[in-house]
Amino acid sequence: RVVTSSATSPETVLEDLTLEALRLPPGAGDDKLPAGQPTTTLLCCPHVTEWSSFGNFHRFYSQELNDGYFLADQDLYVVEFHPHFGDLDSLPGKGDTI
């Protein structure tokens, strides 16, 4: 699933993230779930203006989301995505082995 949050603060994003986690089926990583059953959610948060800086977003991820283990008690891991993640110079170039 891809969900766009209307949250404007990190605290409200935590609420949205928790609600989305509850929508995922138990054993979301299990390949025995019926076809079409969502096992992952991409939560887009375009309205949290302080996250326009990757540094601010990364601090939230590290501290509030416990480096992705915020939902570990539900056997879920949060992956960090941000439009400014990484350095454009670090992208693979022609002839690079990936």
Side-chain angles (χ1 to χ4, degrees):
R1 287 173 32 89
V2 177
V3 177
T4 300
S5 170
S6 60
T8 57
S9 71
E11 296 77 23
T12 311
V13 169
L14 284 176
E15 293 172 19
D16 288 349
L17 186 61
T18 302
L19 288 172
E20 284 302 317
L22 293 172
R23 293 185 68 147
L24 293 172
D30 191 346
D31 59 357
K32 295 177 184 163
L33 292 173
Q37 179 75 39
T39 59
T40 303
T41 300
L42 175 61
L43 183 63
C44 304
C45 306
H47 307 294
V48 183
T49 55
E50 68 191 76
W51 288 351
S52 61
S53 158
F54 174 71
N56 290 339
F57 174 75
H58 183 67
R59 266 188 296 286
F60 171 81
Y61 178 79
S62 298
Q63 296 170 3
E64 300 299 322
L65 297 182
N66 193 24
D67 286 320
Y69 292 97
F70 171 71
L71 298 167
D73 61 331
Q74 297 176 44
D75 291 327
L76 297 173
Y77 180 74
V78 178
V79 178
E80 176 180 36
F81 286 102
H82 189 279
H84 300 293
F85 181 78
D87 201 13
L88 292 179
D89 294 334
S90 68
L91 294 174
K94 184 176 181 180
D96 286 349
T97 302
I98 302 175

